[in-house]
Amino acid sequence: MGESRLPAVIATVVAVPVAAVAGVLIYNAMAPVAEEHSDLVQADLSPVTVAVPELTEDDAVICLALTATAPEAAGGLDARPVEGGAGAAESVLAYGDPAVVATCGAAPVEVADTDAVYKLNGVCWYSDEAGVEWTTLDRQVPVGVSVPAEHEQPVDVLNDLSTVIAEKVPAAEDAPTGCA
């Protein structure tokens, strides 16, 4: 070995172990952070057992158009299969864990003129006081969405669903005050 190569060899001998130690230290520093955020991974996307609404033949066609074109994710929550008998997949959608459940053909709700209503992406919604049960007010076939309290932003899911509801579920002839 010539004298001109000696500094390069010494630098390499020192740099390689330093780089390896630095890599291990960085990995160990980041691993606990990844474990803290492991709750962001949706662990359970198994089928959700749902109640199937009784629908007229015309309503069933509308609901099928909705469920057939529903997004694969809503509010950042992945779609889940549903089970519960004949017509479950044609009228009910589920997203995330715990499951947000959207039912086409939900029971209509009556609202007073002074009740708060929310217009989201072209669809008028009413919510219970807890913000857990949401129902469309301006559609021929009401759509109800149950959002467990664990989901802090139900509007994220409703915004994504409202887009397809506005496209596939015809508007009702009359809607409550505030929905216009």
Side-chain angles (χ1 to χ4, degrees):
M1 224 184 272
E3 209 172 295
S4 63
R5 290 185 159 188
L6 185 58
V9 170
I10 291 173
T12 302
V13 168
V14 171
V16 169
V18 168
V21 169
V24 169
L25 291 174
I26 290 170
Y27 173 79
N28 286 335
M30 292 176 66
V33 172
E35 289 174 9
E36 288 174 15
H37 295 296
S38 65
D39 61 330
L40 298 176
V41 176
Q42 296 176 1
D44 184 11
L45 294 179
S46 61
V48 177
T49 302
V50 297
V52 181
E54 291 186 32
L55 301 170
T56 66
E57 191 173 318
D58 290 342
D59 289 354
V61 170
I62 292 170
C63 289
L64 178 58
L66 172 64
T67 58
T69 58
E72 289 296 317
L77 303 172
D78 292 331
R80 293 178 65 174
V82 295
E83 60 187 15
E90 290 81 17
S91 59
V92 183
L93 303 165
Y95 294 92
D97 179 32
V100 172
V101 176
T103 303
C104 182
V109 294
E110 295 293 323
V111 296
D113 288 341
T114 57
D115 286 340
V117 296
Y118 306 90
K119 191 88 171 209
L120 303 171
N121 286 337
V123 176
C124 188
W125 294 90
Y126 173 76
S127 174
D128 63 355
E129 288 183 23
V132 175
E133 299 295 330
W134 294 78
T135 307
T136 60
L137 298 173
D138 62 344
R139 300 288 124 184
Q140 283 182 12
V141 182
V143 177
V145 179
S146 178
V147 183
E150 291 87 349
H151 298 292
E152 295 177 8
Q153 295 297 327
V155 173
D156 292 343
V157 174
L158 296 171
N159 272 329
D160 289 345
L161 293 177
S162 290
T163 302
V164 70
I165 290 169
E167 291 174 3
K168 300 300 178 182
V169 182
E173 290 182 22
D174 58 337
T177 303
C179 289

